Amino acid sequence: MPKRSEEMLMDLWMSLLLVWITCIPCVSMTPIIGQSKSTQTGGSAVVASGLGEGQRLLSRAKRGWVWNQMFVLEEFSGPDPILVGRLHTDLDVGGKNIKYVLAGEGAGTIFAINELTGDIHAMKRLDREEKAEYTLTAQVVNADTDEPLEPPSEFIIKVQDINDNPPQFIEGPYRASVPEMSAVGTPVTRVTATDADDPVYGNSAKLVYSILEGQPYFSIDPNSATIKVALHGMDREMREEYLVVIQAKDMGGHMGGLSGTTTVTVTLTDVNDNPPKFSKSLYEFVIPEDLPIGKMGGKVKANDRDIGENSKSTYSIVEGDEQGMFEIFTDTQAQEGILRLKRPLDYESKRAFTLKVEATNVRSEPSSGGPFKDSATVKVVVDDSDEPPIFSKPMYLLEVNENAPINTVIGSVTARDPDSSSSIVRYFIDRHTDLERQFNINVDDGKITLAKPLDRETDMWHNITVTATEVRNHSQISRAIVAIRVMDINDNAPEFATEYEAFLCENGKPGQVIQTVSAVDKDDPIQGHYFDYRLVPEMLNNPNFTIKNNQDNSISVLAKHDTFRRQKQEMYFLPIIVTDNGNPPMSSTNTLTIRVCGCSKDGIVQSCNVEAYVLPIGLSMGALIAILACIILLLVIVVLFVTLRRHKNEPLIIKDDEDVRENIIRYDDEGGGEEDTEAFDIATLQNPDGINAQKGLLYTTLCIYTLQVWVASVTSL
């Protein structure tokens, strides 16, 4: 029915428009005479038609055209071209051969003019949204010669708007959000529609907004198109998303206006308006008493209807854990509370715990009255387990004197079975910690005895591991560390800190310090070391040296006179007795070696050997040995030469005055004639003594060269 009413209205409007268009030519000719804009300076303008009876003819000098503006309705589609207007000039009097000419935008295609009457018609359907106005020029010319009779006049044809475009939401559909539980009137978003019709002419582009769907949750301002919350207490947990349909209608929202719609999807965002809630009020967990510390004993969880950060909670124990046996850890991923063991449980001492656990929101809204929280009861039942023995101490510290006899009792360890059955315990030493088997333990009472003598100077500490095992269940084993400290006794005599070798200058003065001597002791008495130094009894009246105590556990060795000579005695041995302050005291005799040396005037040692003294030229014993070896070698060469001379071979040629022989030399190569006479020295072959003389000369030269080499080496030394 509403659709039928709209169609009837449209028919009525179209009828009115047709009547108005038909009346335009008659109505518009007379009033617009005064608005004519002509460049003609002569003639008169007259109204060619549209004068009623009794009206007088108006004339005005120096005017040509009777208007400069015309109107045509857009979207008109009648069977005939629509008359836009009529042009008339005062030159158009009976009998004049004139015609009207039209030029400009759309002339000849959109607009056509009757050359005789000046009527202008629109030949096509016009759309104001494509082009709102056309500028044309009209002119009167001679019909035969086309000679202009008047200057051209410009006028405008405006396309009048009709409501032919509905509003459109260019940016739609829309999405918007608003916090849940927002107050009534809270803005959500704003939508915008556009209308292509003329916003100046009429109400074709005047829009009014309304909600077609989405009430009573939201409302919209009809002019600004602002969507607002219209219902109090909208809860996201009940409904999260709403679809709102918005309508924009032109003609100010009146009947007959065109409309367009869009959708707005409104999402309620979460606020922290819901507390966490445990799924049950009582949790029960059974935990074995041998559960390792830090391991999980159970899980609790509180659910929150909120989402994101608003749904996160932390867990804590608020009551029932006065002994600090448990802790609760918050798993941020699963949002669970993990109950973990903080201290070891003991079934024999306490078999059950009742805890109060609380879940609290991490984030709270000031307006919601938070923070939100919830609590639940957690009952923990301890389950009895077969526990290993427990030592009375986690670590034992024992002491034993070094060099104590074998089987000496060092100490003992004790362990018990904490279970109600109380099994017998056996003790053993972990031999991985006592590889040399220096200790033994009694398997029944845990007494530790010495198996080998101990030396504190070798190892001061011995760390062994003792195990306690149940007789009933050998898999239940406990371990304890036993640290054994070896106590020191005075079983080492002091001795020189190093192998001392003192040097004494021949020109030294009496009382001069020859050497400072200190001692060391491998023992470590509690009161510290104190050493006493003295000469052996047979050296108490030593005429050469004496000792002086420096009061810092060291002594100085002093010379008694200045008549020490290397020729007389090169080296002295001074035995010194060093005694400690232990109980009983220990002593040792150490010998100090003192060498007599030649020194410079400044007391700097230059040489400490006797042979250096007998060589004023400064040659060392090594240099003398080298020279002697050279001389011996020379003598050997000379003897060898003489021996060779005496035992020489028979001569190759025996000379005889009466024996004349030819020297025949035979060889396989072809001779060279006279040029080959230098191949053999016949004189030499006939005189072998010459060969021996040359050998002697060679040996002599070699000896001289060898002597020069040795002399050079000795000189360098």
Side-chain angles (χ1 to χ4, degrees):
M1 190 67 181
K3 188 174 181 181
R4 179 62 182 164
S5 301
E6 280 189 22
E7 292 178 356
M8 294 176 63
L9 259 160
M10 288 297 293
D11 293 340
L12 180 61
W13 275 98
M14 291 302 294
S15 303
L16 291 173
L17 285 172
L18 288 174
V19 172
W20 182 72
I21 291 169
T22 307
C23 297
I24 276 181
C26 300
V27 176
S28 59
M29 290 176 63
T30 303
I32 307 178
I33 294 176
Q35 301 176 6
S36 178
K37 176 176 123 180
S38 174
T39 57
Q40 185 175 348
T41 57
S44 61
V46 296
V47 179
S49 63
L51 298 176
E53 188 179 351
Q55 291 178 327
R56 59 189 181 88
L57 183 66
L58 299 178
S59 62
R60 179 175 297 174
K62 299 181 182 180
R63 296 284 296 182
W65 306 105
V66 296
W67 53 54
N68 66 351
Q69 183 170 272
M70 296 181 184
F71 299 91
V72 60
L73 199 64
E74 69 168 334
E75 303 293 347
F76 183 78
S77 58
D80 299 322
I82 183 174
L83 178 64
V84 178
R86 178 177 297 168
L87 299 179
H88 189 72
T89 178
D90 52 5
L91 297 177
D92 188 8
V93 294
K96 272 205 172 183
N97 189 17
I98 65 173
K99 68 177 180 179
Y100 296 92
V101 178
L102 188 63
E105 295 177 335
T109 56
I110 300 176
F111 301 102
I113 189 170
N114 191 313
E115 296 179 349
L116 300 178
T117 64
D119 293 341
I120 300 175
H121 291 82
M123 308 300 294
K124 296 182 178 180
R125 181 176 178 180
L126 302 178
D127 187 356
R128 188 201 67 83
E129 285 71 38
E130 292 182 3
K131 190 171 179 63
E133 62 181 31
Y134 297 85
T135 302
L136 298 97
T137 56
Q139 191 174 22
V140 179
V141 299
N142 188 297
D144 297 328
T145 64
D146 289 337
E147 180 182 356
L149 302 178
E150 289 182 352
S153 293
E154 183 180 275
F155 65 97
I156 297 173
I157 298 178
K158 290 187 175 182
V159 182
Q160 287 187 324
D161 182 54
I162 64 171
N163 190 22
D164 59 341
N165 291 283
Q168 292 182 348
F169 292 92
I170 305 300
E171 299 177 359
Y174 298 85
R175 296 193 68 88
S177 62
V178 65
E180 63 174 329
M181 298 297 177
S182 295
V184 175
T186 301
V188 178
T189 187
R190 182 179 178 182
V191 297
T192 302
T194 58
D195 196 318
D197 292 324
D198 191 355
V200 179
Y201 182 79
N203 294 327
S204 299
K206 185 177 181 181
L207 306 180
V208 174
Y209 298 89
S210 60
I211 289 183
L212 300 182
E213 294 182 20
Q215 295 174 330
Y217 308 106
F218 301 97
S219 63
I220 189 169
D221 186 284
N223 298 317
S224 65
T226 301
I227 301 174
K228 301 178 181 179
V229 175
L231 185 64
H232 177 73
M234 287 195 295
D235 191 0
R236 186 201 65 82
E237 288 72 32
M238 299 298 295
R239 183 178 177 183
E240 185 176 3
E241 195 171 87
Y242 296 83
L243 183 65
V244 181
V245 180
I246 304 298
Q247 175 184 266
K249 191 173 184 180
D250 59 15
M251 298 299 292
H254 294 121
M255 187 177 296
L258 304 179
S259 63
T261 60
T262 189
T263 59
V264 181
T265 302
V266 181
T267 302
L268 298 183
T269 58
D270 185 59
V271 298
N272 191 18
D273 58 342
N274 292 282
K277 187 69 177 177
F278 282 101
S279 57
K280 50 186 177 180
S281 59
L282 177 63
Y283 293 84
E284 292 187 9
F285 303 116
V286 178
I287 301 177
E289 65 173 331
D290 59 353
L291 181 71
I293 294 175
K295 293 296 183 179
M296 182 185 71
K299 295 190 294 186
V300 297
K301 185 172 184 178
N303 298 312
D304 195 320
R305 297 176 63 193
D306 295 320
I307 59 175
E309 292 293 327
N310 296 326
S311 66
K312 294 183 178 180
S313 301
T314 57
Y315 297 86
S316 59
I317 300 174
V318 295
E319 291 181 12
D321 189 28
E322 291 78 11
Q323 299 178 358
M325 304 293 293
F326 302 95
E327 64 179 356
I328 194 164
F329 167 75
T330 302
D331 185 350
T332 57
Q333 297 296 326
Q335 281 299 298
E336 294 176 333
I338 311 299
L339 187 66
R340 300 189 301 195
L341 198 60
K342 195 175 180 181
R343 295 176 58 187
L345 298 173
D346 186 9
Y347 173 82
E348 287 71 27
S349 60
K350 191 169 184 179
R351 303 185 178 184
F353 298 86
T354 301
L355 311 176
K356 184 180 180 181
V357 177
E358 190 173 77
T360 306
N361 272 156
V362 175
R363 189 175 179 181
S364 61
E365 301 288 342
S367 59
S368 61
F372 295 114
K373 60 180 67 176
D374 191 24
S375 61
T377 301
V378 177
K379 186 176 181 180
V380 178
V381 177
V382 181
D383 186 22
D384 187 22
S385 301
D386 188 6
E387 300 175 88
I390 299 176
F391 282 94
S392 59
K393 299 178 182 178
M395 181 176 179
Y396 294 85
L397 178 61
L398 305 179
E399 294 180 349
V400 61
N401 290 329
E402 63 176 329
N403 297 329
I406 296 175
N407 294 327
T408 299
V409 177
I410 302 173
S412 63
V413 296
T414 57
R416 64 176 181 84
D417 184 7
D419 298 322
S420 56
S421 58
S422 186
S423 173
I424 299 175
V425 177
R426 293 286 184 261
Y427 303 93
F428 303 94
I429 293 178
D430 185 353
R431 291 304 176 182
H432 292 91
T433 61
D434 184 28
L435 297 176
E436 298 180 3
R437 296 183 174 270
Q438 295 174 303
F439 306 96
N440 291 325
I441 190 169
N442 190 303
V443 295
D444 296 320
D445 58 11
K447 289 183 179 179
I448 300 174
T449 57
L450 194 62
K452 291 182 180 180
L454 301 179
D455 185 6
R456 190 202 67 86
E457 286 70 39
T458 303
D459 284 312
M460 186 182 299
W461 287 93
H462 297 270
N463 296 319
I464 62 174
T465 300
V466 176
T467 62
T469 306
E470 291 183 8
V471 174
R472 185 183 57 194
N473 185 358
H474 292 175
S475 63
Q476 297 297 334
I477 302 175
S478 295
R479 289 174 170 81
I481 296 175
V482 179
I484 301 174
R485 180 181 180 182
V486 182
M487 304 301 294
D488 183 48
I489 64 173
N490 193 26
D491 60 344
N492 291 279
E495 57 187 12
F496 280 175
T498 184
E499 292 289 337
Y500 292 105
E501 186 176 11
F503 298 95
L504 173 63
C505 292
E506 288 180 313
N507 57 353
K509 298 179 180 179
Q512 181 181 357
V513 176
I514 301 173
Q515 181 70 46
T516 300
V517 177
S518 62
V520 293
D521 194 333
K522 294 181 180 179
D523 295 322
D524 187 18
I526 299 176
Q527 67 275 15
H529 290 291
Y530 176 77
F531 301 126
D532 177 62
Y533 300 87
R534 68 181 185 276
L535 298 177
V536 295
E538 56 269 22
M539 287 283 187
L540 290 178
N541 297 320
N542 189 308
N544 298 315
F545 306 102
T546 185
I547 60 174
K548 174 187 175 183
N549 194 336
N550 295 328
Q551 303 300 324
D552 60 354
N553 278 341
S554 69
I555 60 170
S556 296
V557 180
L558 310 177
K560 282 188 174 183
H561 57 82
D562 58 355
T563 59
F564 295 97
R565 294 294 180 267
R566 283 179 287 174
Q567 299 86 343
K568 181 180 180 181
Q569 186 173 346
E570 180 186 4
M571 191 176 299
Y572 294 87
F573 299 99
L574 184 64
I576 301 175
I577 299 175
V578 185
T579 306
D580 62 17
N581 60 336
N583 187 19
M586 302 290 291
S587 63
S588 67
T589 301
N590 299 264
T591 301
L592 176 65
T593 302
I594 303 174
R595 290 181 178 274
V596 180
C597 302
C599 302
S600 64
K601 293 181 179 180
D602 299 330
I604 300 175
V605 176
Q606 291 183 339
S607 176
C608 297
N609 299 323
V610 176
E611 60 270 16
Y613 180 79
V614 299
L615 293 175
I617 61 175
L619 295 177
S620 65
M621 182 61 69
L624 292 175
I625 293 173
I627 294 174
L628 182 60
C630 181
I631 294 173
I632 292 172
L633 179 62
L634 182 61
L635 293 175
V636 170
I637 293 173
V638 172
V639 171
L640 179 62
F641 173 72
V642 173
T643 303
L644 290 175
R645 287 282 295 168
R646 290 181 178 180
H647 297 87
K648 62 181 180 177
N649 296 327
E650 291 296 328
L652 297 175
I653 300 176
I654 300 175
K655 300 180 65 176
D656 191 351
D657 296 337
E658 296 179 359
D659 187 12
V660 179
R661 300 181 180 179
E662 291 181 356
N663 293 316
I664 300 174
I665 301 173
R666 182 180 179 180
Y667 52 91
D668 295 330
D669 294 339
E670 184 177 356
E674 294 179 355
E675 297 177 358
D676 198 19
T677 57
E678 294 180 357
F680 297 95
D681 190 349
I682 303 300
T684 301
L685 293 176
Q686 293 177 351
N687 187 14
D689 292 338
I691 298 175
N692 293 331
Q694 291 178 358
K695 289 183 178 179
L697 180 60
L698 177 62
Y699 291 147
T700 304
T701 304
L702 180 61
C703 289
I704 294 172
Y705 176 74
T706 304
L707 181 60
Q708 289 177 349
V709 171
W710 281 107
V711 170
S713 63
V714 169
T715 304
S716 63
L717 292 175

